[in-house]
Amino acid sequence: MVKAMDEKFMSLAIEEASRGVKNGQTPFGACIVRGEEVIVSAHNVVWQDVDITAHAEINAIRGACKKLGIVDLSGYVIYSTCEPCPMCFSACHWAKISKIVYGVCIEDAQKFGFSELTISNDKMVSIGGSLIEITGGILKEENLELFGLWSERKDKKVY
Amino acid sequence: MVKAMDEKFMSLAIEEASRGVKNGQTPFGACIVRGEEVIVSAHNVVWQDVDITAHAEINAIRGACKKLGIVDLSGYVIYSTCEPCPMCFSACHWAKISKIVYGVCIEDAQKFGFSELTISNDKMVSIGGSLIEITGGILKEENLELFGLWSERKDKKVY
């Protein structure tokens, strides 16, 4: 049951990421849900908005805060195609998001040239003192394919 | 010479933070400079914008990207009244900012009730593999006074 729900919402995050890639953006998508309700979904728009902070998770958190009129997202779950980078993980912590569910790892994004800080979410939790629950590896193959889709584009750019 | 420059730009970040406190925001300010030129200054607007990611440093980075039309801020320095939290530190890393200069420490903000992840910038650098240069403790007393100014407000709220 949990696995089916995780895969359903991860598929939505993957759709978002695909939409981003088609628009010339990098292959990262996310959505925020509560129970079975999707609050918001978003993809990375760093190049579109000329905003280095415009990662999928940051955009989803900003969108959820705006839509709900709150900055405390306790009880909400974020699904992300890739393990949130330390910036996005920390944004989840500030928002008091209850759970992060991700697909591929930070190392996978790094292999494709992104300038990731090499700090896993588990490490951020253990040394930072966060209460966020973490589940990784959901729809890993499908999430890896996003990087393949993006790699084929001639206009691809890392940052 | 470096000390005088650091104090000059830190004073600007402090002015920004004071402006924020007067507007009912939390006591954090930042500015981004290159050489002697100030590109942008900003304060925390988490409550004003109902956006948990709207820290002073994130706002300054977004503003600088927009103003300059670039996402690579190599050669730029960010001044922040408080040691950037891991979210803001990581945003500086993504933006390739060359140097972070801060006033008080993450622990000082924590003492006033902010839900900080307890990971110093030095630790983020050493475990994450970042090249950012870090200098802390600039105008420490003046920066601590910002928290005093904020503490006196009846409408103060942490997050």
Side-chain angles (χ1 to χ4, degrees), chain B residues 21 24-27 47 112 114 147-159:
Chain B
V21 172
Q25 304 305 301
T26 47
W47 295 121
F112 284 89
F114 291 93
F147 285 95
L149 189 71
W150 170 79
S151 288
E152 288 164 13
R153 289 187 65 101
K154 286 185 183 160
D155 62 353
K156 67 178 179 292
K157 288 185 289 181
V158 291
Y159 46 79

Side-chain angles (χ1 to χ4, degrees), chain A residues 99-113:
Chain A
K99 188 174 176 180
I100 293 170
V101 182
Y102 67 81
V104 293
C105 292
I106 284 176
E107 283 74 13
D108 295 308
Q110 235 172 0
K111 278 178 207 154
F112 284 88

Side-chain angles (χ1 to χ4, degrees), chain A residues 47 50-53 55 61-62 65 69-71 85-87 90 93-94 96 115-119 127-128 159, chain B residues 47 50-53 55 61-62 65 69-71 85-87 90 93-94 96 115-119 127-128 159:
Chain A
W47 295 122
V50 193
D51 176 2
I52 194 67
T53 74
H55 288 199
I61 290 168
R62 299 182 77 213
C65 287
I70 53 175
V71 301
C85 76
M87 175 178 75
S90 306
H93 167 83
W94 280 116
K96 300 182 170 62
S115 315
E116 298 273 357
L117 286 163
T118 52
I119 314 177
I127 62 173
Y159 47 79
Chain B
W47 295 121
V50 193
D51 176 2
I52 194 68
T53 73
H55 289 198
I61 290 169
R62 299 182 76 213
C65 287
I70 53 174
V71 301
C85 75
M87 174 178 77
S90 306
H93 168 82
W94 280 116
K96 299 184 169 64
S115 313
E116 296 275 357
L117 285 163
T118 51
I119 314 176
I127 62 175
Y159 46 79

Side-chain angles (χ1 to χ4, degrees), chain A residues 12-153:
Chain A
L12 182 62
I14 291 171
E15 274 172 41
E16 265 295 338
S18 303
R19 200 171 299 135
V21 172
K22 281 174 197 133
N23 291 333
Q25 304 306 301
T26 48
F28 303 100
C31 62
I32 292 176
V33 309
R34 181 165 184 135
E36 298 204 25
E37 185 191 3
V38 177
I39 309 302
V40 70
S41 63
H43 59 256
N44 183 303
V45 289
V46 163
W47 295 122
Q48 179 187 298
D49 286 9
V50 193
D51 176 2
I52 194 67
T53 74
H55 288 199
E57 301 94 321
I58 295 280
N59 299 339
I61 290 168
R62 299 182 77 213
C65 287
K66 190 165 186 175
K67 188 171 177 181
L68 301 166
I70 53 175
V71 301
D72 181 343
L73 300 178
S74 305
Y76 292 81
V77 179
I78 191 164
Y79 288 82
S80 181
T81 56
C82 184
E83 183 180 8
C85 76
M87 175 178 75
C88 294
F89 171 85
S90 306
C92 293
H93 167 83
W94 280 116
K96 300 182 170 62
I97 279 178
S98 297
K99 188 174 176 180
I100 293 170
V101 182
Y102 67 81
V104 293
C105 292
I106 284 176
E107 283 74 13
D108 295 308
Q110 235 172 0
K111 278 178 207 154
F112 284 88
F114 291 93
S115 315
E116 298 273 357
L117 286 163
T118 52
I119 314 177
S120 70
N121 283 196
D122 286 343
K123 195 148 196 173
M124 290 294 291
V125 164
S126 66
I127 62 173
S130 187
L131 300 171
I132 302 182
E133 193 183 337
I134 314 281
T135 299
I138 305 297
L139 297 184
K140 198 164 178 177
E141 286 310 310
E142 292 86 336
N143 276 306
L144 268 178
E145 278 168 24
L146 283 170
F147 285 95
L149 189 71
W150 170 79
S151 288
E152 287 164 12
R153 290 186 65 101

